Amino acid sequence: MDATAKTNGATSATRFDALAKVPPIAHPLAEEPSEIASNISYHVQYSPHFSLFKFDPEQAYCATADSVRDRLIKQWNDTYLQYHKVNPKQTYYLSMEYLQGRALTNAIGNLCIQGAYGDALKKLGHGLEEIVEQEKDAALGNGGLGRLASCFLDSMATLNLPAWGYGLRYKHGLFKQRITKAGQEEIAEDWLEKFSPWEVARHDIVFPIRFFGHVEVDPSGSRKWVGGEVIQAVAYDVPIPGYKTKNTISLRLWEAKASAEDLNLSQFNDGQYESATLLHSRAHQICAVLYPGDATESGKLLRLKQQFLLCSASLQDIIFRFKERNDGKGTLDWSTFPTKVAVQLNDTHPTLSIPELMRLLMDDEGLGWDEAWDITTRTIAYTNHTVLPEALEKWSQAVMWKLLPRHMEIIEEIDKRFIAMIQSKKPNLESKISAMCILDHNPQKPVVRMANLCVISSHTVNGVAQLHSDILKDELFIDYVSIWPTKFQNKTNGITPRRWLRFCNPELSDIITKWLKTDEWVTNLDLLANLRKFADDEQLHAQWESAKMASKQRLAQYILRVTGVRVDPNTLFDIQVKRIHEYKRQLLNVLGVVYRYKKLKEMKPEERKNTTARTVMLGGKAFATYTNAKRIIKLVTDVGDVVNSDPEVNSYLKVVFVPNYNVSVAEVLIPGSELSQHISTAGMEASGTSNMKFALNGCLIIGTLDGANVEIREEIGEQNFFLFGARADEVPRLRKERENGQFKPDPRFEEAKQFIRSGAFGSYDYNPLLDSLEGDSGYGRGDYFLVGQDFPSYIDAQAKVDEAYKDRKRWIKMSILSTAGSGKFSSDRTISQYAKEIWNIEKCSVA
């Protein structure tokens, strides 16, 4: 036996001995460390997930999670009973994605029992930090859309609002990213390989979900969707606790299952295993993976099945709860449904909620069209998250008719009535009908335009940053605005200050609390503005810099562990982490790095000493089928391999691609960041929320006037933001000039591209990627995202960063003012506005 095995054996034995000394007594609501330790010990013995003779970190994590969950379930039950008693209007938030992050840190933080659990685990031979690391992130989302939804749930609970989230229980998520010599490799997520201790399976909450089939019309003219295949949607609840409140709400996740009677036993016993279990296999596929490839018809059908499962199961559940709370009060009055229920669609993925609610009300509840339409349009609201054409979902009419024939009938009728309304009431818009209607009957590709269906059917449509909302009203949905001028609102996104400062950056949080003489900023982020009066205080500067260094050292250790690259915490930590997409312009970043490297190579050693040393980190996932995005990742890793191994330069520049970016990785990266890049082409990023997280943690931003960058710059002060690039209103003209051959590239831009083409970073053929920046027009050419246009001002802004960083006093003051100006960007503010201005719901607090 080697020394490591002996050490691990001794450690396991020591831990088991410590466990044996703590009596296993159930204390589900324990707050004292000794009682918490006993409750953990109780779960080791009586909720055993592993062998009794092991108490290693994984076992300790599961028992700890079970112990915390005891309290959450009590609060969850109390909250549910309060809702049942008061019967408030309740919001139901439908989202295809949630990026929750680790639940343990968040739960004990929101319940204010971190210290007690830390002490309890010490009694059991473990450290809290080590136990937290055992938890895998729930793989329920991909990017900003899912993280926003999770921040919103945290704020809903913290504000004691009657609201729930609905999503899908993806077993393998999007994918786990592995970085190899070939670039990005996708492997299945394994977060549910064993189990999640945070879920509560609700086997009594099961709803039938039908696919395919046909519509029958009875003699009275009423229509029923019959036949096809029927699977079951089973509920799994994840409790979401509020901060310093007794309210705990639910994220209800649906899983698709087939029933026992769907197993053809005679076929199975005859050896026809695949055909015997066909429906079981199809049901399993639905929640296997987030965003399965949709290049084939079967892929499109699977994505639509996912979306319909979310919509139908959630609406059946909502209607069941409405009946449960209102049925005993005489005849059920369906007209009161919108006074008790608000449904928010997070982007177009849950659009099928509109025809499904109509179907349930008409076909199952017997309402007429007019009453069902009135209820639906007063219940449903829609959040738009993008102006990118490819992200505004359009589904093939043929595929929709095949999978959801009754819903296509309803959509056709909505469209017909909308067109008739335009013709009778807005004849000036008749020429626009073909663009505004829901069904595009283009003979080459007839589609259903989901965003149009949402706008026509929702009582409110909102954008997620002021610039984005203005673009929706002035460009994308301008014709609808002339019909419904009050339908459109802005709700600038926000982030939860609990996870994104209080818990992930404890050193900085403690300093803020000390200088503000209160921790109330955690739920009233506007209080951060009071830091401004200390922005020049040398004592605060010293403490602020010390906190940042602690976070940078933690990040440097993490980078070494996951990439093997040793980075110097004394260099400027420059980070861009987000989904890899050409409009987010990671390519601009890496071209800037290539130019910086080339200039450093050309300098004399004495000249290099006068430069600002940088560590540039990028991270994010590229969709498996998005070739250029994957080429960008490959380029980053190739540049990093060359730069990091160059002894002349690697003291002044390092380049790192951080693999498998997720919430837990962000919680290490963001506190340690000093400069963050939010450099999308102006007008293309709806909002962004990582920019808010970085700014809140005292990180300075280099960015364009896009999305929420505009408002962040206003709040923190223009002098504390490194601005570059074309403005959104200039972009159409610049693209036209490019098409007309009027663009003159900057020599520095040409130099950077040529350096890559020279083979300086290996033999990989980057011409297809670089060709997207060449020419004036054509598919995949013409630099649609204006990388070349913005490159000179980007390089100039980076030079300003270098100069500012050398002036430590100025930089730290800018950092303090960044945090001080972030109060607006709390999701508590955003959700309060949704509650008041869209949902019309009020607090429902557990006493």
Side-chain angles (χ1 to χ4, degrees):
M1 186 184 287
D2 65 23
T4 307
K6 284 178 187 171
T7 304
N8 288 344
T11 305
S12 295
T14 305
R15 286 165 172 162
F16 196 75
D17 288 346
L19 175 68
K21 292 172 185 172
V22 176
I25 302 168
H27 290 290
L29 305 180
E31 293 188 10
E32 293 301 317
S34 57
E35 290 185 345
I36 290 170
S38 284
N39 200 47
I40 294 171
S41 178
Y42 173 85
H43 280 291
V44 172
Q45 292 204 33
Y46 297 108
S47 307
H49 304 293
F50 302 95
S51 161
L52 184 61
F53 302 106
K54 285 179 78 178
F55 191 56
D56 288 341
E58 187 180 21
Q59 289 79 30
Y61 158 68
C62 290
T64 302
D66 284 339
S67 175
V68 176
R69 199 182 75 164
D70 287 345
R71 184 157 164 180
L72 294 180
I73 288 174
K74 168 71 167 71
Q75 293 193 182
W76 190 92
N77 288 336
D78 289 346
T79 306
Y80 187 88
L81 288 169
Q82 179 74 356
Y83 291 175
H84 199 74
K85 185 173 97 179
V86 176
N87 192 17
K89 183 176 184 182
Q90 185 169 340
T91 291
Y92 301 95
Y93 195 84
L94 272 63
S95 179
M96 283 293 284
E97 292 187 42
Y98 292 89
L99 274 177
Q100 289 292 99
R102 288 176 174 146
L104 179 56
T105 330
N106 198 65
I108 60 175
N110 275 2
L111 296 170
C112 298
I113 48 177
Q114 309 103 306
Y117 264 82
D119 292 345
L121 284 164
K122 275 183 201 164
K123 292 176 187 293
L124 296 166
H126 287 280
L128 178 59
E129 197 171 317
E130 169 195 42
I131 297 308
V132 162
E133 288 292 322
Q134 301 305 307
E135 183 176 356
K136 293 177 179 177
D137 280 30
L140 300 172
N142 171 37
L145 186 82
R147 187 52 236 169
L148 178 76
S150 295
C151 282
F152 280 4
L153 292 183
D154 181 83
S155 287
M156 290 168 188
T158 298
L159 295 169
N160 297 323
L161 291 169
W164 274 17
Y166 282 111
L168 296 182
R169 184 178 182 261
Y170 305 104
K171 188 170 183 186
H172 299 296
L174 186 71
F175 58 83
K176 189 188 287 186
Q177 183 190 56
R178 184 181 290 158
I179 301 299
T180 67
K181 287 288 180 189
Q184 171 181 288
E185 181 186 339
E186 303 90 23
I187 52 178
E189 283 275 11
D190 60 354
W191 77 286
L192 284 176
E193 196 81 349
K194 292 179 179 173
F195 65 101
S196 168
W198 302 102
E199 303 180 317
V200 180
R202 302 290 188 191
H203 297 296
D204 57 328
I205 300 174
V206 181
F207 295 103
I209 308 294
R210 188 183 305 276
F211 301 117
F212 307 110
H214 61 280
V215 179
E216 282 186 354
V217 187
D218 69 17
S220 69
S222 64
R223 310 178 81 80
K224 274 276 191 263
W225 181 25
V226 296
E229 60 186 40
V230 180
I231 55 101
Q232 308 298 317
V234 183
Y236 286 77
D237 283 343
V238 180
I240 310 290
Y243 179 76
K244 288 189 177 180
T245 173
K246 293 179 182 177
N247 281 46
T248 294
I249 63 172
S250 186
L251 169 57
R252 179 157 285 177
L253 303 172
W254 300 107
E255 179 170 83
K257 289 185 177 177
S259 61
E261 62 190 39
D262 293 316
L263 174 67
N264 189 320
L265 213 50
S266 61
Q267 281 187 344
F268 195 90
N269 288 328
D270 196 34
Q272 300 175 54
Y273 306 125
E274 287 186 10
S275 56
T277 58
L278 186 60
L279 199 56
H280 284 260
S281 172
R282 285 179 178 166
H284 174 77
Q285 290 165 8
I286 293 172
C287 293
V289 172
L290 168 65
Y291 300 140
D294 60 354
T296 62
E297 182 176 298
S298 58
K300 289 179 175 66
L301 283 167
L302 185 55
R303 279 218 194 181
L304 265 179
K305 281 183 175 182
Q306 288 185 333
Q307 294 188 359
F308 183 64
L309 172 71
L310 170 65
C311 298
S312 182
S314 302
L315 286 167
Q316 288 182 70
D317 194 33
I318 291 164
I319 287 172
F320 172 80
R321 193 166 301 111
F322 173 73
K323 289 178 172 180
E324 184 181 58
R325 293 179 188 171
N326 297 279
D327 232 352
K329 299 169 183 174
T331 309
L332 192 61
D333 182 357
W334 281 100
S335 68
T336 65
F337 188 81
T339 70
K340 294 296 180 183
V341 172
V343 173
Q344 187 70 37
L345 309 182
N346 192 29
D347 216 351
T348 52
H349 309 122
T351 303
L352 290 168
S353 298
I354 295 162
E356 175 65 354
L357 183 53
M358 290 291 290
R359 183 191 73 82
L360 291 168
L361 292 173
M362 293 191 297
D363 299 1
D364 290 7
E365 303 301 337
L367 274 60
W369 178 278
D370 290 342
E371 191 179 359
W373 180 246
D374 178 65
I375 290 167
T376 299
T377 55
R378 288 196 295 131
T379 299
I380 290 177
Y382 159 58
T383 300
N384 173 280
H385 282 278
T386 184
V387 296
L388 294 182
E390 71 267 24
L392 289 168
E393 289 186 295
K394 298 179 181 72
W395 286 105
S396 156
Q397 289 187 28
V399 170
M400 289 273 285
W401 275 111
K402 184 175 182 179
L403 188 72
L404 303 167
R406 178 66 178 123
H407 298 78
M408 276 300 287
E409 287 186 347
I410 292 167
I411 290 168
E412 271 194 336
E413 185 65 19
I414 294 171
D415 203 32
K416 187 178 89 176
R417 290 178 181 232
F418 171 70
I419 292 168
M421 183 272 289
I422 294 288
Q423 289 169 337
S424 66
K425 295 184 178 177
K426 293 281 183 180
N428 59 309
L429 289 175
E430 278 213 50
S431 62
K432 306 284 183 69
I433 285 176
S434 61
M436 295 174 72
C437 64
I438 300 162
L439 298 174
D440 180 351
H441 293 297
N442 180 336
Q444 273 76 46
K445 195 177 181 184
V447 293
V448 183
R449 295 184 280 216
M450 304 307 256
N452 291 18
L453 177 55
C454 284
V455 173
I456 289 165
S457 311
S458 301
H459 63 80
T460 306
V461 176
N462 74 280
V464 290
Q466 192 62 58
L467 175 65
H468 170 236
S469 297
D470 290 344
I471 290 170
L472 294 185
K473 287 195 282 189
D474 299 341
E475 297 175 30
L476 194 65
F477 298 142
I478 185 169
D479 295 321
Y480 299 107
V481 175
S482 68
I483 306 171
W484 300 294
T486 60
K487 180 179 280 200
F488 297 86
Q489 297 186 15
N490 175 56
K491 294 287 170 280
T492 297
N493 282 342
I495 56 170
T496 168
R498 272 74 65 183
R499 184 179 290 275
W500 294 114
L501 181 52
R502 179 69 193 90
F503 305 151
C504 75
N505 200 341
E507 295 91 351
L508 191 62
S509 293
D510 289 346
I511 289 166
I512 291 168
T513 298
K514 176 184 167 187
W515 283 80
L516 296 181
K517 296 186 169 60
T518 179
D519 67 354
E520 287 181 14
W521 60 267
V522 180
T523 50
N524 181 5
L525 206 60
D526 288 335
L527 292 176
L528 291 181
N530 291 325
L531 287 170
R532 288 186 177 125
K533 57 177 170 260
F534 307 118
D536 291 305
D537 190 295
E538 289 181 11
Q539 205 178 351
L540 176 57
H541 277 226
Q543 294 171 13
W544 199 269
E545 192 160 29
S546 172
K548 180 60 75 175
M549 181 51 73
S551 294
K552 289 177 73 177
Q553 287 170 340
R554 196 157 47 237
L555 173 52
Q557 289 164 6
Y558 176 79
I559 293 297
L560 180 61
R561 191 169 88 241
V562 298
T563 70
V565 179
R566 196 176 296 279
V567 298
D568 182 1
N570 293 304
T571 61
L572 166 59
F573 276 13
D574 168 352
I575 298 181
Q576 185 183 21
V577 278
K578 50 187 78 238
R579 182 164 55 92
I580 309 295
H581 196 292
E582 285 167 286
Y583 90 83
K584 293 177 185 286
R585 300 202 296 190
Q586 286 91 350
L587 184 54
L588 175 59
N589 185 345
V590 73
L591 283 166
V593 168
V594 166
Y595 182 76
R596 178 179 288 264
Y597 174 61
K598 187 170 186 294
K599 295 297 112 181
L600 282 167
K601 287 292 286 179
E602 292 167 1
M603 288 179 189
K604 297 186 175 74
E606 306 80 50
E607 292 175 306
R608 288 189 198 120
K609 287 175 186 172
N610 294 323
T611 63
T612 298
R614 280 203 201 202
T615 299
V616 180
M617 304 175 213
L618 292 94
K621 295 178 180 179
F623 273 112
T625 54
Y626 191 172
T627 309
N628 259 4
K630 294 177 83 168
R631 286 179 180 132
I632 291 168
I633 292 174
K634 170 70 173 152
L635 179 57
V636 175
T637 58
D638 282 351
V639 170
D641 286 346
V642 170
V643 172
N644 300 344
S645 58
D646 186 332
E648 287 184 337
V649 167
N650 63 15
S651 299
Y652 304 99
L653 181 64
K654 287 261 177 86
V655 182
V656 180
F657 190 89
V658 184
N660 203 41
Y661 181 60
N662 60 20
V663 176
S664 293
V665 175
E667 289 172 0
V668 182
L669 283 168
I670 290 170
S673 178
E674 293 173 292
L675 179 75
S676 181
Q677 304 210 28
H678 302 274
I679 57 177
S680 51
T681 313
M684 302 202 75
E685 186 75 86
S687 168
T689 50
S690 68
N691 45 7
M692 301 171 186
K693 292 161 196 162
F694 282 102
L696 179 62
N697 281 269
C699 172
L700 301 184
I701 290 175
I702 181 170
T704 51
L705 280 179
D706 197 23
N709 279 2
V710 177
E711 289 159 83
I712 291 172
R713 183 168 171 263
E714 287 170 1
E715 295 294 316
I716 68 172
E718 294 178 8
Q719 70 281 11
N720 302 313
F721 188 104
F722 296 99
L723 179 67
F724 77 95
R727 300 167 64 100
D729 57 3
E730 297 172 329
V731 167
R733 172 180 59 79
L734 291 167
R735 284 185 177 141
K736 198 74 189 163
E737 288 174 2
R738 179 73 184 237
E739 283 178 28
N740 295 336
Q742 294 169 277
F743 172 68
K744 297 287 183 289
D746 187 279
R748 294 171 293 181
F749 181 57
E750 296 300 295
E751 199 178 337
K753 288 186 297 178
Q754 189 50 44
F755 196 38
I756 295 169
R757 284 197 164 106
S758 73
F761 303 104
S763 58
Y764 183 85
D765 181 12
Y766 282 110
N767 284 313
L769 177 62
L770 296 173
D771 284 350
S772 70
L773 307 175
E774 308 295 354
D776 297 326
S777 60
Y779 181 74
R781 290 176 65 81
D783 193 9
Y784 183 77
F785 301 103
L786 304 185
V787 175
Q789 172 67 43
D790 283 352
F791 189 81
S793 62
Y794 175 70
I795 294 298
D796 293 345
Q798 289 285 17
K800 290 176 184 172
V801 171
D802 289 337
E803 285 309 304
Y805 195 73
K806 289 175 184 174
D807 183 344
R808 298 310 300 151
K809 189 174 179 182
R810 178 188 168 203
W811 186 273
I812 295 164
K813 179 179 180 179
M814 292 168 77
S815 174
I816 293 166
L817 291 172
S818 175
T819 298
S822 294
K824 175 181 177 177
F825 304 106
S826 169
S827 51
D828 296 348
R829 185 266 314 153
T830 314
I831 286 298
S832 294
Q833 291 177 337
Y834 272 97
K836 186 179 177 184
E837 298 165 18
I838 297 180
W839 303 331
N840 192 26
I841 62 171
E842 295 179 349
K843 288 185 179 185
C844 186
S845 307
V846 176

